[in-house]
Amino acid sequence: AVEDLVRALELARETVKFNFALLGEPSVEGITSCVARLPVRERCPPPVAAACVQYLDVMVRYGFVPPPVLGEVLVALCHTVSHPLLSDSSWHVARNLILSHTGRVAMETLCCLLDTVGGGAQHQAAPGPGAGEKGGDEAVAARRAATEARVAVALARVAGTTVFGSVCRGAVYFVSMVTWGKHMVRAVHVTPFLVLPPLLRILGGAVDTVVALEVALSMRRLVKKFGEELQVEWRLVFRILRR
């Protein structure tokens, strides 16, 4: 059964790679949603999880991830990045996704995921195009509400499972690596000041030790790399470390 599922995923990957332009968006959404749900199942076989990451890699590089399934895709990658054999490939897929035209929305989704888990206030994402203009605030609010809805649906499928902790840990890892890590993505123009509040809020929830450790490691990387440049961020860094 595992071999048959892996072959089906390989077929889906090749179909997207060579025929993405011929596929309708509903078909792409349906296939991608099904694929993204597989690796976050408890006791998902490693070959199946690897095939899912390969599919998502092709989807990001040869097509695009439809917004309605962006939350599910990121939750899947947040989980697989914690797998020793899939860590590098999952990071590359997530980085390419954040470098794409949906990069800002992807970062907002990750921050929203941290906020939702932490049970904190609505996150303060970087203003998108149109913010500050007439009707811009309404557009930003609508996009944020849609993001929160997608995240809630994606998290509901892993809540209460053994997968939940690794999803939270992966979200912390992605957000910190993109913003100030070794391979930071400057193109999204996200500063530590915008990312630190969600990291603080996730510690306010019932998080695993592995999540708290990942936050601590991310603070170490931030201070080591940009300690001399931090100003107002220090207050948030100290609050995070006191947690």
Side-chain angles (χ1 to χ4, degrees):
V2 172
E3 291 78 8
D4 292 339
L5 184 53
V6 169
R7 282 196 290 269
L9 289 168
E10 291 173 348
L11 177 60
R13 184 187 68 209
E14 294 302 305
T15 300
V16 167
K17 182 175 182 179
F18 296 107
N19 299 281
F20 184 83
L22 302 178
L23 298 174
E25 190 163 330
S27 299
V28 174
E29 288 180 15
I31 296 172
T32 304
S33 177
C34 290
V35 172
R37 296 179 191 183
L38 289 174
V40 296
R41 290 182 177 179
E42 293 184 285
R43 296 181 296 276
C44 176
V48 173
C52 291
V53 173
Q54 292 169 1
Y55 169 89
L56 295 177
D57 176 48
V58 168
M59 170 63 68
V60 171
R61 290 193 294 120
Y62 292 90
F64 65 90
V65 177
V69 295
L70 184 59
E72 291 179 296
V73 168
L74 286 171
V75 165
L77 292 172
C78 286
H79 173 56
T80 57
V81 77
S82 298
H83 194 290
L85 299 179
L86 301 176
S87 180
D88 288 342
S89 56
S90 298
W91 160 245
H92 286 301
V93 175
R95 188 173 187 274
N96 286 335
L97 177 59
I98 292 170
L99 280 169
S100 70
H101 70 283
T102 59
R104 180 174 292 275
V105 179
M107 282 297 292
E108 289 178 355
T109 301
L110 288 170
C111 290
C112 182
L113 189 155
L114 296 176
D115 271 329
T116 302
V117 173
Q122 196 175 45
H123 71 281
Q124 299 295 319
E133 301 175 2
K134 185 178 180 179
D137 292 340
E138 290 80 0
V140 170
R143 187 177 72 243
R144 184 174 299 167
T147 299
E148 291 173 350
R150 290 194 293 266
V151 167
V153 170
L155 283 177
R157 296 194 175 96
V158 298
T161 69
T162 57
V163 173
F164 188 72
S166 65
V167 170
C168 298
R169 181 259 172 188
V172 172
Y173 177 79
F174 284 151
V175 166
S176 62
M177 286 297 289
V178 166
T179 310
W180 59 74
K182 181 179 179 181
H183 303 289
M184 61 183 297
V185 181
R186 299 182 184 275
V188 295
H189 304 294
V190 175
T191 66
F193 185 73
L194 295 172
V195 170
L196 289 172
L199 293 180
L200 174 63
R201 284 192 284 269
I202 195 174
L203 295 178
V207 297
D208 293 346
T209 303
V210 68
V211 180
L213 177 60
E214 187 62 44
V215 173
L217 290 174
S218 70
M219 291 301 97
R220 179 185 178 185
R221 287 193 293 267
L222 173 62
V223 172
K224 184 177 180 179
K225 189 170 184 178
F226 294 109
E228 295 182 357
E229 301 177 20
L230 300 179
Q231 297 181 18
V232 296
E233 294 88 352
W234 278 114
R235 179 175 59 85
L236 290 168
V237 171
F238 287 137
R239 289 182 63 189
I240 289 172
L241 294 176
R242 280 199 297 267
R243 289 291 180 94

